[in-house]
Amino acid sequence: MANYPDALNSVFHALSDPTRRAVVQRLGRGPASVSELAEPFDIGLPTFMKHVGVLEDAGLIRTSKTGRIRTCTLDQKKLSPAERWFDEQRSVWASRYGNLDKLLDQLNGKNDES
Amino acid sequence: MANYPDALNSVFHALSDPTRRAVVQRLGRGPASVSELAEPFDIGLPTFMKHVGVLEDAGLIRTSKTGRIRTCTLDQKKLSPAERWFDEQRSVWASRYGNLDKLLDQLNGKNDES
């Protein structure tokens, strides 16, 4: 089912948590180290690393290690399929309302003839 | 934290499953009964009803029962906060690239003076 790729499952799952959304938002301003990213959150590092892992599995972030510093980088284009999903819904609604408009026109046409 | 409401958690969680996304997409064309909605899926009714419950808890659909027929209706506006979240990310990236542009202008200015 081309419309429902696994990628969408993992991206929407990744975004269903406020800590992970905040990390994505922070990384939108540029790469950051794990300790920098974890700093605003009142959670232990192992829990934070699980969030980092979920974002990495979804492909939303890449991480690289230099010495003892692990740096995270956002891969913005991996958000695109999720954005496109919302656009697709809008076109479904638009075609629905288009059909309702056509029906109204037909009903009006009938009324004019009577 | 106004930017990370619970509503976003439950909406993104609801959208992290292909069956639930397909139900949202189908309901975009108009209300439908549970049995009509369940028909394309090779899963049992109890499992399907769990998906309906997740969508209902997220506020994405409303259900009403007349006789033995339960009808589901999409509440499209409940998708808006999730769409807005993506728009917010775009503005974070835009301001980042705006800042990089300013920096480049400053560097070019310095080069001109030297």
Side-chain angles (χ1 to χ4, degrees), chain A residues 4 9 21 25 83 90, chain B residues 4 9 21 25 83 90:
Chain A
Y4 311 118
N9 299 350
R21 287 197 301 278
Q25 186 146 8
E83 282 188 275
R90 293 212 162 267
Chain B
Y4 311 119
N9 300 349
R21 287 197 302 277
Q25 187 146 6
E83 282 188 275
R90 295 215 160 265

Side-chain angles (χ1 to χ4, degrees), chain A residues 5-48:
Chain A
D6 289 349
L8 275 184
N9 299 350
S10 58
V11 166
F12 281 131
H13 170 64
L15 298 180
S16 70
D17 178 275
T19 301
R20 295 196 290 264
R21 287 197 301 278
V23 168
V24 169
Q25 186 146 8
R26 165 62 192 83
L27 291 176
R29 302 205 309 269
S33 70
V34 165
S35 54
E36 213 179 322
L37 288 172
E39 204 270 329
F41 301 104
D42 193 18
I43 53 178
L45 194 62
T47 307
F48 187 78

Side-chain angles (χ1 to χ4, degrees), chain B:
Chain B
M1 291 209 285
N3 282 334
Y4 311 119
D6 289 347
L8 276 183
N9 300 349
S10 57
V11 166
F12 281 130
H13 170 63
L15 297 180
S16 70
D17 178 275
T19 301
R20 294 196 292 263
R21 287 197 302 277
V23 168
V24 168
Q25 187 146 6
R26 165 59 192 86
L27 292 176
R29 302 207 308 269
S33 70
V34 165
S35 54
E36 213 179 323
L37 289 171
E39 204 272 329
F41 301 104
D42 193 19
I43 53 177
L45 195 63
T47 307
F48 188 78
M49 286 308 292
K50 276 185 195 163
H51 287 309
V52 169
V54 171
L55 289 166
E56 216 175 356
D57 289 347
L60 289 173
I61 69 170
R62 290 187 306 273
T63 74
S64 60
K65 206 169 183 182
T66 309
R68 297 176 65 176
I69 313 283
R70 181 171 290 280
T71 304
C72 302
T73 309
L74 181 66
D75 190 353
Q76 298 160 346
K77 67 178 185 299
K78 292 289 166 58
L79 286 170
S80 303
E83 282 188 275
R84 271 202 302 275
W85 186 84
F86 287 98
D87 294 341
E88 281 168 24
Q89 304 323 302
R90 295 215 160 265
S91 66
V92 169
W93 309 341
S95 89
R96 177 189 176 194
Y97 291 117
N99 288 338
L100 288 174
D101 281 346
K102 269 186 219 158
L103 187 66
L104 276 175
D105 285 346
Q106 283 172 1
L107 290 171
N108 285 336
K110 271 187 187 166
N111 286 345
D112 290 342
E113 281 162 26
S114 67

Side-chain angles (χ1 to χ4, degrees), chain A residues 64-111:
Chain A
S64 61
K65 205 168 183 182
T66 308
R68 297 178 63 178
I69 311 282
R70 182 170 290 281
T71 304
C72 302
T73 309
L74 181 65
D75 189 352
Q76 297 159 348
K77 68 179 183 299
K78 291 290 166 60
L79 286 171
S80 303
E83 282 188 275
R84 272 202 302 276
W85 186 84
F86 287 99
D87 294 341
E88 281 167 25
Q89 305 323 301
R90 293 212 162 267
S91 66
V92 170
W93 309 340
S95 88
R96 177 189 175 194
Y97 291 118
N99 287 339
L100 287 175
D101 280 346
K102 269 185 220 159
L103 186 66
L104 276 176
D105 286 347
Q106 283 172 359
L107 291 171
N108 286 335
K110 273 191 187 165
N111 286 343

